Amino acid sequence: MEGLVIKNTGSFYVVRTADGDVKCKIKGNFRLKGIRTTNPVSVGDRVAISGNDEEVAYITSIEPRRNYIIRRASNLSKESHIIASNIDQAFLIVSILNPSTSTVFIDRFLATAEAYSVPAVLVVNKIDLLDSEGNDYCDALCYLYETIGYRTVKVSAETGEGIDELKEMLHDKVTLFSGNSGVGKSSLINLLIPGLDLRTAEVSESHHTGMHTTTFSEMFLLSDGSGYIIDTPGVKGFGTIDFNVEEVSHYFPEIFEVSRECKYGNCTHIHEPGCAVKKAVEEHRISESRYASYLSILDDSAPDKYRKPF
């Protein structure tokens, strides 16, 4: 029997089949097939399952993945964690206030999406909280990423502003929702799929950070049956893993474009003479925040070889 993995609870998976949803496990040796992740099976996987005499279903194989989003596992620095697979698009939910999402977090997510061929959209939630200064910063942030080529959408789960635009973008798509804890992913999904009633929590007043309400990734069918939303646990940081240092610049579209003008084909854009990227940063044609994020990923990928110059 074949099906779609729609939920991961840590101890078992829920697989949606033509005959209904089935709770499944994986056998121990399934983990030993060279898959360097904390979760060899992820939400979004197409799998084959079979039962045994005790009526326990097991996942026996995974179909080749079209793509996936992966990050460094929080508890095992050398291990990776697949967030979800076979995704049409990823919505990175961010907020300017309560909590504030850093550009480093945004850039690490976007670079990972580029690396694994997942189209990404930047969704700025909680715009109802912004004063004049906050709105100016929000506009500048959106302008930065729009000039690079990313679509941005401003929304409010509190007022409903922008929700109709999101609904249109979800049609016939499998869409991953990701972001820091507390940015309002669950609140937005509740608006997009009425009656779902995912748990939400207030942001900590003392630390201005979100409290986790989603524990494991889960896929939800849209009300009209035209697509799926994958809800994922909120994270504090987004650690990249398995990036080839020579290719990191490829995942920053504006840096990759300008790098064609560098004197050396293997330029790292750190210390080489004739570097077009460093010149573009100095002339503000590439933002300093994006360049800093690029350097931070290089440092993650090869800490003994690349060090930030500032």
Side-chain angles (χ1 to χ4, degrees), residues 69-72 92 102-116 145 150 236-241 243 251-252 289-290 292-301 308:
I69 286 280
I70 195 170
R71 71 178 181 90
R72 189 180 298 274
L92 178 60
S102 73
T103 54
V104 171
F105 181 90
I106 294 172
D107 294 335
R108 284 170 171 263
F109 183 92
L110 294 178
T112 300
E114 293 280 350
Y116 293 98
Y145 289 101
Y150 293 104
K236 293 181 179 179
F238 199 92
T240 56
I241 194 166
F243 274 19
Y251 311 139
F252 287 75
S289 66
R290 290 279 290 172
S293 296
Y294 162 76
L295 294 177
S296 76
I297 293 177
L298 277 186
D299 194 51
D300 270 3
S301 303
K308 306 179 186 66

Side-chain angles (χ1 to χ4, degrees), residues 185-205:
K185 294 188 306 298
S186 297
S187 296
L188 286 173
I189 295 172
N190 284 339
L191 285 177
L192 294 165
I193 307 179
L196 194 59
D197 294 330
L198 296 179
R199 286 197 308 123
T200 61
E202 296 297 324
V203 172
S204 166
E205 292 186 4

Side-chain angles (χ1 to χ4, degrees), residues 66-84:
R66 175 163 49 92
N67 60 24
Y68 53 89
I69 286 280
I70 195 170
R71 71 178 181 90
R72 189 180 298 274
S74 57
N75 58 337
L76 296 169
S77 61
K78 294 183 180 180
E79 291 280 359
S80 57
H81 179 82
I82 300 175
I83 300 174

